[in-house]
Amino acid sequence: MLNIDLFENIENNDVLELLKCMGLKTKIFKKNSYILKKGSKINFLGILLEGYAEIIKTDKLNRDITAEKLRINDIFGHDIVCLGLTKSPVDIYTKTGCEILFIPFEKAVTPCEKLCRYHFQLIKNIMKMISKKNSVLNNKLDIIAQKTTREKILSFLQDCSKGDKSFYIPYTREEMAKFLCSDRSALSRELCKMRDEGLLRFSKNYFELLY
């Protein structure tokens, strides 16, 4: 638990003191269980320490949509409480067993009475994590703002590649279609066209760019 972005530049002994000072504890969730239900009270930030979970939103047609995948080190809940909301507008559901560190919002943004030096570093780290997450979301907006399905695919794959020609993406085809706000059949057709035109090769979630 100590080797996560939340505790960057904080010594291990200070992390233990920090957890004690703030009264923070972790909670274990079983696979296929709710971390948070829509409409439930929320006044905390969560950090995923172990496992994999998803944030589920309900669209206007009453369909459940995976809005975000949560992996180790990811922060959640900040966008809700920072808006002053007290009830969750989303479900957060585990896909594997998960361990979560919950941080009451007030303790996350306010130094303790002792003015511990590492508490200020914690606040700085939380702000950094939130900024990093906002950058990722802005990047997604840039991708889905592309006009055509092909342009969305190219932008998405270039982002996933991190400069490499061959790479794996952390999405199934259905998840990729949801990310791109595209129909799965249309996505598959366009990928096949791009493959036939010699732009790329792929097998399941493995891709190789040829251009």
Side-chain angles (χ1 to χ4, degrees):
M1 180 180 73
L2 304 184
N3 189 28
I4 60 174
D5 291 349
L6 181 67
F7 301 132
E8 183 181 8
N9 296 323
I10 303 177
E11 297 294 332
N12 287 349
N13 289 338
D14 288 340
V15 170
L16 297 177
E17 285 296 320
L18 178 63
L19 294 175
K20 182 179 179 181
C21 176
M22 298 178 68
L24 303 183
K25 296 182 179 180
T26 64
K27 186 174 180 180
I28 303 295
F29 292 84
K30 295 181 179 179
K31 179 181 178 180
N32 296 329
S33 62
Y34 285 96
I35 297 172
L36 186 67
K37 284 189 175 183
K38 183 178 179 180
S40 59
K41 183 178 179 180
I42 179 170
N43 58 0
F44 57 81
L45 311 180
I47 309 291
L48 185 62
L49 302 178
E50 294 291 342
Y52 163 52
E54 293 182 344
I55 297 178
I56 309 296
K57 290 184 177 180
T58 303
D59 68 11
K60 293 181 180 180
L61 298 178
N62 204 34
R63 298 175 300 187
D64 289 338
I65 296 175
T66 301
E68 185 180 349
K69 293 170 174 286
L70 295 175
R71 295 182 172 82
I72 294 174
N73 238 342
D74 280 347
I75 187 170
F76 62 89
H78 60 287
D79 49 346
I80 301 173
V81 294
C82 285
L83 287 174
L85 301 179
T86 57
K87 292 185 178 180
S88 174
V90 299
D91 292 319
I92 303 181
Y93 193 74
T94 65
K95 303 299 286 185
T96 67
C98 292
E99 182 179 8
I100 310 292
L101 174 65
F102 292 104
I103 307 176
F105 180 64
E106 290 302 322
K107 291 185 177 181
V109 297
T110 307
C112 64
E113 295 178 356
K114 298 179 182 179
L115 298 178
C116 304
R117 66 184 184 281
Y118 37 76
H119 198 148
F120 285 102
Q121 183 62 46
L122 178 77
I123 294 173
K124 181 179 178 180
N125 291 346
I126 289 173
M127 295 301 104
K128 183 177 179 180
M129 292 174 71
I130 291 174
S131 296
K132 182 178 179 180
K133 187 166 186 177
N134 286 340
S135 178
V136 171
L137 293 176
N138 286 333
N139 191 48
K140 178 179 179 178
L141 289 176
D142 288 340
I143 292 172
I144 63 177
Q146 301 300 313
K147 292 183 179 181
T148 67
T149 299
R150 176 169 294 201
E151 289 172 345
K152 290 180 181 180
I153 292 171
L154 290 173
S155 181
F156 171 80
L157 292 178
Q158 287 169 357
D159 182 64
C160 289
S161 72
K162 306 302 181 186
D164 295 329
K165 285 295 184 180
S166 59
F167 52 92
Y168 289 87
I169 65 171
Y171 297 91
T172 64
R173 199 68 77 241
E174 183 175 354
E175 291 168 341
M176 182 180 173
K178 288 181 178 179
F179 183 95
L180 297 177
C181 300
S182 176
D183 176 75
R184 179 178 176 178
S185 297
L187 172 64
S188 295
R189 284 196 302 271
E190 192 61 39
L191 283 172
C192 289
K193 287 181 182 178
M194 295 169 70
R195 179 195 60 199
D196 295 343
E197 292 172 16
L199 293 174
L200 51 80
R201 297 191 188 101
F202 61 87
S203 176
K204 295 183 179 180
N205 65 334
Y206 171 82
F207 282 83
E208 183 178 354
L209 303 180
L210 303 176
Y211 57 90

